[in-house]
Amino acid sequence: MQRRDFLLALAALATPAAAVEFAPVRPGRPLVFPADHGAHPDFRTEWWYATGWLSLPDGSPFGFQTTFFRVRTGIGEASASAFAPRQLILAHAAIADPGLGRLRHDQRAARVGFGRAGCTTDRTDVWVGDWRFKQFPDGYRAAVQGSDFAYALSLAPSGPPMLNGQAGFSRKAADQRHASYYYSRPQLKVAGTVTLAGRTHRATGHAWLDHEWSSALLPEGEQGWDWIGINLADGSALMAFRLRDRTQSAQWSAASFRPAGGATQTFPPHAVSFEAVRHWQSPRTAITYPVEWRLHIGRRRFLLQALIDDQELDSRPSTGAIYWEGAVRLLEDGREAGRGYLEMTGYGESIRLG
């Protein structure tokens, strides 16, 4: 996309836009489907975030990420001009390639309008140029054409949305004004194609989708977050996160666990802990990230290990952030229990998004 759209995106994410009244997140507002699969343009930020593990016909494992962000900028809302950048769509895409030893990744940004970018409010359908994430009656389709990779994937749900927090009201601090509406679609069955180095391969696997929207996400003083979404081998699903301050101490934590075919259980901050075991330093940015973790969720103990250490994604041209986003294995009692993704933000500068 054109450079001015990247600059607009950075300005919108960094500007308080205090004069604009964004829609608030309040407890007790039920999530209603299919309407809440669609966009919520009255809120400041929103994302659809699909991650997963893929296997090629020879058994080679890969991770993939597709993230689309919608940002209400607070700019030009009183203008009648179709060029006013009221809403922006940003997108990140990546393949975690063990053979390469790092991510293949790319990004896009554009203002909504003129067919260049957009989203719909009645179902999931968000796009930037020829990148698209769209909902169909049988699931979702993700299509990305990056600079050195591409994929076209179908993602089929195995059950209803998993509501995180209090029926989808997900607090990010003791003060409930800092919250989002948040649900997940775990255990998505994936099939499609992946193109690497000019060669197209059939691919299958499992994925996780998060959809989250808010107007005030991070309280003052919080530096970033650590998040996991894990599909367990027995059909269950685990989401957990913690938010950290500038000393890297946890300020808020939460988790959701849904057994196969069962009801979702939520965990309060005192029942969730992340303990870093091993670190890796990026040769490009010199940022150090934990790439192996011990997790305590209720009475269960897990070990989280990265597929490859170097899964750093530099999104400074779009969201202004450098973060670690990658495929991980979850071990319990020394055995692999599941696979999913780990996201870590704010290990360099404070995260701007939200």
Side-chain angles (χ1 to χ4, degrees):
M1 291 297 127
Q2 298 183 24
R3 180 172 175 78
R4 64 174 178 268
D5 290 316
F6 284 120
L7 296 175
L8 279 168
L10 289 172
L13 290 166
T15 302
V20 176
E21 185 175 347
F22 298 105
V25 176
R26 295 193 174 104
R29 183 271 204 197
L31 300 193
V32 179
F33 301 103
D36 277 328
H37 290 310
H40 302 80
D42 291 341
F43 291 81
R44 186 176 185 187
T45 57
E46 182 167 22
W47 54 78
W48 296 262
Y49 170 39
T51 56
W53 280 62
L54 300 173
S55 179
L56 301 190
D58 65 0
S60 300
F62 290 86
F64 82 94
Q65 173 199 356
T66 304
T67 310
F68 281 85
F69 305 88
R70 180 203 53 78
V71 179
R72 182 183 173 191
T73 67
I75 300 170
E77 296 204 354
S79 172
S81 171
F83 291 92
R86 303 174 189 88
Q87 302 272 348
L88 300 177
I89 303 295
L90 303 84
H92 297 167
I95 291 287
D97 185 345
L100 188 64
R102 60 171 174 80
L103 293 185
R104 301 174 185 267
H105 65 87
D106 208 342
Q107 53 200 302
R108 298 284 187 272
R111 69 189 75 185
V112 169
F114 304 102
R116 295 174 58 204
C119 53
T120 61
T121 58
D122 61 336
R123 61 176 176 173
T124 299
D125 188 8
V126 56
W127 68 93
V128 181
D130 59 356
W131 290 23
R132 195 165 202 140
F133 190 71
K134 184 175 182 178
Q135 188 175 23
F136 293 86
D138 61 345
Y140 303 86
R141 306 286 188 274
V144 163
Q145 178 69 55
S147 57
D148 65 345
F149 70 96
Y151 53 78
L153 303 171
S154 297
L155 299 82
S158 61
M162 183 173 84
L163 307 186
N164 297 306
Q166 300 169 337
F169 176 79
S170 175
R171 289 168 60 177
K172 304 302 190 288
D175 184 343
Q176 67 179 16
R177 290 178 302 174
H178 299 287
S180 67
Y181 296 121
Y182 178 20
Y183 70 87
S184 303
R185 304 298 302 269
Q187 298 289 354
L188 295 162
K189 188 175 181 180
V190 183
T193 60
V194 175
T195 302
L196 302 170
R199 296 184 60 189
T200 298
H201 312 268
R202 299 298 303 177
T204 58
H206 287 84
W208 181 291
L209 170 65
D210 272 356
H211 183 193
E212 193 164 7
W213 61 100
S214 182
S215 291
L217 189 59
L218 294 183
E220 187 67 28
E222 289 192 346
Q223 173 84 3
W225 62 80
D226 306 303
W227 167 94
I228 58 167
I230 305 290
N231 291 316
L232 278 77
D234 64 3
S236 57
L238 173 65
M239 184 284 299
F241 68 84
R242 70 166 188 165
L243 291 115
R244 312 179 318 274
D245 63 18
R246 294 187 177 97
T247 70
Q248 305 299 355
S249 299
Q251 295 300 295
W252 188 263
S253 303
S256 302
F257 176 78
R258 187 168 75 183
T264 301
Q265 179 184 3
T266 59
F267 294 87
H270 70 267
V272 179
S273 71
F274 287 67
E275 178 189 354
V277 175
R278 186 173 66 83
H279 295 78
W280 167 82
Q281 185 176 51
S282 167
R284 294 174 298 278
T285 64
I287 297 172
T288 297
Y289 304 91
V291 292
E292 188 169 316
W293 293 87
R294 290 191 186 95
L295 303 179
H296 295 180
I297 312 294
R299 297 182 178 181
R300 299 180 73 171
R301 304 292 182 263
F302 302 102
L303 184 66
L304 200 67
Q305 296 179 332
L307 173 64
I308 52 176
D309 287 353
D310 189 351
Q311 298 185 77
E312 182 183 56
L313 199 156
D314 186 347
S315 70
R316 281 177 291 187
S318 55
T319 63
I322 301 172
Y323 62 104
W324 196 102
E325 179 82 41
V328 291
R329 292 182 172 93
L330 188 75
L331 283 72
E332 187 174 21
D333 298 326
R335 297 185 297 273
E336 183 174 313
R339 295 179 174 183
Y341 254 65
L342 163 68
E343 180 180 74
M344 300 181 287
T345 71
Y347 282 92
E349 296 182 356
S350 299
I351 192 73
R352 294 180 181 179
L353 190 61

